[in-house]
Amino acid sequence: MTECCRRRRVPQVSMPEAVQIAYELGPKWVHRFGRTAGLLTACVLVFGQFGLCTVYLVFVAKNFKEIGDYYGGKYNERYYVLGACLLLLPLFLIRRLKYLVPLNLVSNFLLYGGFAFIMYYLFSGLPDPRERQLTTCPSEWLVFFGIASFSLTAVGSMLVVEANMAQPQSYLGMFGVLNVSVFFILLSNIFFGIMGYWRFGEIVEASITLNIPQNEILSQLIKVFIATGIFLSYPLNGFVVITVIFSDYSEATEKGRYHTLQEYAVRLSFLLLTGLVAVGVPNLAALTELEGAFSLSNLNLLCPALIDIFLNYDVGYGRLRWKLVRDLLLIVVGLVFGIVGCTMAMKQLVDDFRTTLQHM
């Protein structure tokens, strides 16, 4: 995307715009597909953020249900999804990114506070590692990759943050904001993945917070901290969709007569739709796998590889065409991973939806 800015001599471009520029700079036969490819990329970006926000709603609902079941009646978790949507309504109507910064600061403090407290349960009662099965059948590997890749699917949020930074040049580089943040994300996931399975084994849930006791104050505090942290990060991820629609594909401007009304309508519709999907299929693991497989394959593998292929078409692919080989390999991996991962997740979600209809 930085190279696209340099080629077109503009300060910044969005990901859909970068795809369109790359197609226009590639072989002649792909020029005609530039605008369509950019539009499809925008759709993928919107759908990816939609899935991400849906997972957040299910996660919040499941954790608060654990607390609600202990102190009150055992209500269906779908009521908690609806409650989360109502509470999110005023937060999601915030139209300026700078006003979301305090929410995300509080979100990060709550998340890492919850992570610190949960160590008590992870390190107490650890069994002998030899009691755990250290390998599993290859058919389950894709499920793992889909869920693990969920942590790297926030491409839309990354782009929005970069576009609104006072010093966007500090975003890239070896020790830039992007690499440092992704490093901590990977470190956190590796740690909780290993410790969660070591501590709870085959009964580990889609979220470790669902494995800790319901009847202890500390465990309830952990659930509140982490669920509230995820809850407060919803507006930023939903903000990406609004940015795509109203910055790249809307003729309306800030001075437009109905611009504000249209934006509020889109925000309300987005929140309502994510809530409806979360109510219909509240399967946290399957939703996480679907979102991870879909977004990672498209936004992290296919789009960057295609952009790189077309941008290097005129200047060359390096010695032995290693850049072309690398990009083609990324495309193959992205296609296989996306098709198989999404198919497996969709099968689980369809089965869940059928079960939901049977109990209505």
Side-chain angles (χ1 to χ4, degrees), residues 211-229:
N211 280 103
I212 59 180
Q214 285 182 289
N215 58 348
E216 297 181 14
I217 298 297
L218 178 60
S219 65
Q220 293 168 1
L221 189 63
I222 291 170
K223 294 175 193 287
V224 170
F225 271 33
I226 296 180
T228 305

Side-chain angles (χ1 to χ4, degrees), residues 74-93:
K74 292 189 176 183
Y75 296 103
N76 193 295
E77 67 188 65
R78 292 172 173 83
Y79 292 113
Y80 289 91
V81 172
L82 295 176
C85 288
L86 290 176
L87 293 174
L88 273 171
L89 184 57
L91 299 179
F92 195 52
L93 293 181

Side-chain angles (χ1 to χ4, degrees), residues 324-360:
L324 180 61
V325 173
R326 176 198 60 189
D327 293 337
L328 291 176
L329 181 61
L330 287 175
I331 290 174
V332 171
V333 172
L335 287 173
V336 173
F337 177 67
I339 293 172
V340 178
C342 290
T343 300
M344 294 176 65
M346 284 299 297
K347 183 178 183 303
Q348 294 182 56
L349 291 174
V350 169
D351 292 341
D352 267 20
F353 187 65
R354 287 175 178 170
T355 302
T356 300
L357 291 179
Q358 290 174 359
H359 290 84
M360 289 181 65

Side-chain angles (χ1 to χ4, degrees), residues 33-323:
F33 303 113
R35 182 169 177 77
T36 302
L39 181 60
L40 288 175
T41 303
C43 293
V44 170
L45 199 56
V46 168
F47 185 81
Q49 294 302 124
F50 180 89
L52 189 67
C53 291
T54 302
V55 171
Y56 282 0
L57 285 178
V58 175
F59 178 89
V60 170
K62 284 185 177 293
N63 280 276
F64 278 112
K65 183 182 185 303
E66 293 268 307
I67 301 173
D69 287 351
Y70 179 73
Y71 285 104
K74 292 189 176 183
Y75 296 103
N76 193 295
E77 67 188 65
R78 292 172 173 83
Y79 292 113
Y80 289 91
V81 172
L82 295 176
C85 288
L86 290 176
L87 293 174
L88 273 171
L89 184 57
L91 299 179
F92 195 52
L93 293 181
I94 297 175
R95 300 177 58 238
R96 293 291 179 269
L97 186 63
K98 64 180 180 180
Y99 298 132
L100 295 178
V101 172
L103 289 180
N104 283 275
L105 285 175
V106 174
S107 171
N108 286 331
F109 279 119
L110 290 174
L111 285 172
Y112 281 97
F115 293 163
F117 289 141
I118 209 171
M119 301 297 176
Y120 171 77
Y121 292 102
L122 289 179
F123 286 100
S124 61
L126 281 175
D128 189 321
R130 290 173 293 185
E131 296 180 14
R132 298 294 182 231
Q133 183 181 352
L134 300 183
T135 59
T136 186
C137 60
S139 63
E140 296 184 5
W141 294 359
L142 279 171
V143 176
F144 160 75
F145 285 123
I147 294 176
S149 62
F150 177 80
S151 62
L152 300 174
T153 58
V155 173
S157 304
M158 294 175 184
L159 299 178
V160 167
V161 169
E162 182 195 20
N164 288 271
M165 286 177 65
Q167 297 179 327
Q169 64 272 17
S170 64
Y171 198 68
L172 300 178
M174 181 65 70
F175 298 102
V177 174
L178 180 61
N179 279 350
V180 171
S181 60
V182 171
F183 171 77
F184 280 105
I185 290 172
L186 288 174
L187 200 63
S188 300
N189 277 273
I190 290 171
F191 173 79
F192 283 105
I194 293 173
M195 294 305 301
Y197 181 69
W198 186 3
R199 174 65 178 82
F200 299 108
E202 297 299 327
I203 63 170
V204 69
E205 296 284 350
S207 168
I208 289 179
T209 56
L210 302 178
N211 280 103
I212 59 180
Q214 285 182 289
N215 58 348
E216 297 181 14
I217 298 297
L218 178 60
S219 65
Q220 293 168 1
L221 189 63
I222 291 170
K223 294 175 193 287
V224 170
F225 271 33
I226 296 180
T228 305
I230 294 296
F231 174 86
L232 292 177
S233 63
Y234 179 105
L236 175 62
N237 288 283
F239 189 89
V240 177
V241 175
I242 309 304
T243 301
V244 170
I245 294 174
F246 287 97
S247 294
D248 298 341
Y249 294 98
S250 175
E251 296 298 327
T253 64
E254 288 293 330
K255 297 181 181 179
R257 184 177 179 183
Y258 299 107
H259 175 83
T260 302
L261 184 61
Q262 290 172 350
E263 184 174 330
Y264 281 139
V266 172
R267 288 176 179 272
L268 288 171
S269 300
F270 181 83
L271 181 59
L272 178 63
L273 288 173
T274 54
L276 288 175
V277 174
V279 166
V281 281
N283 185 323
L284 183 59
L287 283 171
T288 304
E289 181 190 351
L290 176 63
E291 162 60 14
F294 179 83
S295 291
L296 186 80
S297 60
N298 284 285
L299 300 177
N300 295 50
L301 296 172
L302 294 178
C303 280
L306 287 171
I307 292 174
D308 195 59
I309 286 177
F310 295 147
L311 286 180
N312 288 309
Y313 177 73
D314 288 333
V315 299
Y317 298 105
R319 188 179 181 85
L320 300 177
R321 295 195 170 190
W322 69 271
K323 291 183 180 180

